[in-house]
Amino acid sequence: MRLTPLEAWTCRTVCPGGERLSRERIDAYQLEMLRQTVDWAKERSPFYRERLAGVSGRGLRGLQDLTALPFTTADDLRRRPQRFLCVSQSEVSRVVTLPTSGTTGDPKRVFFTAADQERTIDFFHHGMATLAGPGDRVLILLPGELPGSVGDLLMKGLDRLGATGVPHGPVRDFHRTLDVMEAERIDCLVGVPVQVLGLARTGRGRAAPVGVLLSTDHVPEALSGALRRAWGCRVYTHYGMTEMGFGGGVECEAGIGYHFREADLCVEIVDPATGNPVPEGEAGEVVFTTLTRRAMPLIRYRTGDVSRFLPDSCPCGSVLKTMERVRSRLGHVRILAGGGTLSMADLDEAVLAVDGVLDFRASLAGERGRDRLRIETRLTADACPSDTFAAIKEALHALPVINSARRAGTLALDVGPPPEGQTSGMEGAKRVLADLRF
Ligand SMILES: [Zn+2]
């Protein structure tokens, strides 16, 4: 198995004297960068000057001291993003405004300098080497029209790798994108999981790439398996968000979880209720601190994503940590009327495993102490609707939580096509089980 290319890349930053990369070296480097980040943020941003009053970089004696610092939340970013800014407006080369989904209703804004973006391009260059190489043609099914957008930075990273990025943007029409894949002789692609599944199931083996990188949303095992069967390709997942500088971590050939860009990010897992670090290997909320960001450093930023660090070292042989694939987000797990929990990730594993499913939307409604789970499903053109809907029901009944709720009479299940006229626009980037009960 090939060692993750992030290992050698991280080593160049962490061990500039040519020493061997080790966990101790990474920890020492992260501590030094953390000290600089705390001082930089405190000196320059009004937000952290207030939030970190009484704290100094020098006062941090070990990485464990990070856990004594206060968290930064998405709501902090929404309230007054300008207060995070550590450089003058003229040094900001890119501002990303994120659509609102939080409690205050204001959009989040994230600022980057050219140097911040350079770190991301460098990460994309080396991270993409996991699946692509010189001469490869890589289709980018992510937004890339604006300079400094994720697709634009990925294009630049691929160029340094000697590969050719082919900008495309999100998939709107499966057949049209499959035509592009054939015409452009695509070797690899990067896209949103359910959109890529739609391509594989619509094309039935047509235009098969050899490598696929899935990003932007949780990746069900059922979906990766369907891609591998349809295309015979390798499937990797990426974890990142705009606040991380788009890129965060990418899977290696072992395919068990992400290795992070540890020279740029320090990642922790905390108990979401208490904020305390969880014991090694246990699941909790993913929290990260930027170590090299100049425009807008983020210290202990709570992502709302749930995962854990795998306790054993990765089979690829890397000393980098391995974080399990993110399957759920805090606040996105629904408690059923009769007890038990259900999330979109659970539904995805069952429903997307059924051949002929392109995409689906799920919602829970309430009726006199009972839940009604509605699954609106888009099917491939060649799928038989009655057989496919029956197979979806069977797959859902096999989920223990649904099975016991049905037996107890506290859950009814509707499976069918989307309402008339709503056949498009289902393939949103983030999949959530909508709760319409309250
Ligand atoms: Zn690995």
Side-chain angles (χ1 to χ4, degrees):
M1 187 179 304
R2 197 169 137 238
L3 176 66
T4 173
L6 296 186
E7 175 107 352
W9 176 60
T10 307
C11 186
R12 282 200 289 281
T13 308
V14 172
C15 309
E19 308 88 341
R20 240 180 89 118
L21 190 68
S22 64
R23 207 54 247 169
E24 294 69 33
R25 288 256 173 219
I26 296 171
D27 288 354
Y29 164 91
Q30 288 195 333
L31 175 61
E32 179 49 34
M33 297 307 286
L34 178 64
R35 287 172 172 154
Q36 292 181 21
T37 297
V38 163
D39 288 340
W40 174 265
K42 260 196 80 175
E43 267 167 38
R44 294 171 171 251
S45 91
F47 176 84
Y48 283 118
R49 192 171 305 133
E50 228 172 85
R51 185 63 66 94
L52 297 177
V55 176
S56 79
R58 264 194 331 279
L60 301 170
R61 286 150 309 153
L63 271 186
Q64 72 283 353
D65 288 355
L66 178 61
T67 63
L69 303 184
F71 291 113
T72 304
T73 66
D75 279 342
D76 292 329
L77 273 195
R78 285 188 197 96
R79 273 185 207 111
R80 292 175 73 187
Q82 298 284 350
R83 286 173 56 82
F84 282 82
L85 200 53
C86 288
V87 298
S88 67
Q89 287 286 357
S90 62
E91 290 172 86
V92 172
S93 64
R94 168 94 173 122
V95 182
V96 183
T97 303
L98 296 165
T100 175
S101 61
T103 50
T104 68
D106 298 319
K108 280 186 281 191
R109 301 181 80 199
V110 188
F111 305 93
F112 300 101
T113 64
D116 295 336
Q117 291 183 301
E118 168 55 34
R119 298 293 308 176
T120 295
I121 295 168
D122 202 29
F123 168 65
F124 285 158
H125 167 190
H126 295 280
M128 284 303 292
T130 303
L131 67 152
D136 281 343
R137 299 179 60 77
V138 183
L139 188 68
I140 302 171
L141 304 173
L142 301 174
E145 284 168 10
L146 296 172
S149 61
V150 61
D152 178 52
L153 301 183
L154 191 49
M155 288 283 292
K156 293 187 163 89
L158 285 166
D159 188 50
R160 291 181 192 180
L161 183 61
T164 304
V166 178
H168 181 289
V171 180
R172 309 265 175 238
D173 177 327
F174 296 124
H175 290 285
R176 193 172 302 165
T177 302
L178 286 161
D179 290 344
V180 171
M181 287 167 67
E182 282 183 338
E184 294 279 354
R185 293 169 286 106
I186 292 302
D187 301 291
C188 300
L189 59 82
V190 183
V192 176
V194 77
Q195 297 183 4
V196 177
L197 177 72
L199 286 173
R201 285 196 166 150
T202 301
R204 296 277 169 210
R206 197 183 137 200
V210 294
V212 168
L213 181 68
L214 303 174
S215 190
T216 314
D217 199 5
H218 67 257
V219 179
E221 194 40 56
L223 191 152
S224 318
L227 295 182
R228 281 192 289 265
R229 283 192 301 279
W231 280 336
C233 60
R234 283 183 175 271
V235 180
Y236 302 88
T237 70
H238 166 258
Y239 173 66
M241 61 191 72
T242 309
E243 295 92 318
M244 281 181 178
F246 298 119
V250 69
E251 277 182 340
C252 64
E253 285 189 359
I256 55 171
Y258 331 98
H259 297 306
F260 281 98
R261 47 194 287 205
E262 291 199 53
D264 294 316
L265 297 173
C266 179
V267 181
E268 306 167 75
I269 307 288
V270 305
D271 180 324
T274 65
N276 294 329
V278 298
E280 176 85 25
E282 280 188 23
E285 182 176 1
V286 180
V287 170
F288 71 88
T289 299
T290 63
L291 300 174
T292 51
R293 188 85 57 80
R294 302 306 270 177
M296 189 178 195
L298 293 173
I299 295 168
R300 304 200 81 206
Y301 185 78
R302 298 185 76 145
T303 64
D305 290 327
V306 177
S307 185
R308 67 185 187 114
F309 281 117
L310 297 175
D312 297 326
S313 51
C314 183
C316 85
S318 179
V319 300
L320 299 174
K321 290 181 185 174
T322 315
M323 194 179 88
E324 200 171 57
R325 280 187 186 181
V326 170
R327 285 189 79 248
S328 62
R329 273 184 69 69
L330 294 172
H332 286 189
V333 174
R334 310 302 179 203
I335 297 170
L336 298 180
T341 60
L342 193 62
S343 70
M344 196 63 175
D346 301 325
L347 296 173
D348 276 350
E349 292 296 356
V351 178
L352 297 178
V354 176
D355 198 28
V357 172
L358 281 178
D359 191 6
F360 73 96
R361 195 156 45 191
S363 60
L364 272 175
E367 292 174 351
R368 297 182 294 279
R370 295 174 79 222
D371 291 323
R372 179 166 288 276
L373 175 63
R374 187 164 174 74
I375 306 283
E376 296 168 4
T377 316
R378 277 173 74 195
L379 305 180
T380 55
D382 57 358
C384 164
S386 59
D387 289 356
T388 310
F389 293 142
I392 293 170
K393 275 190 179 158
E394 196 179 324
L396 289 168
H397 292 168
L399 290 177
V401 64
I402 289 185
N403 190 27
S404 59
R406 280 183 64 247
R407 284 164 177 271
T410 55
L411 180 81
L413 186 58
D414 287 337
V415 177
E420 202 68 39
Q422 281 189 32
T423 49
S424 66
M426 290 181 71
E427 54 289 282
K430 294 267 185 204
R431 302 168 59 72
V432 178
L433 167 55
D435 194 346
L436 315 173
R437 295 175 295 179
F438 307 107

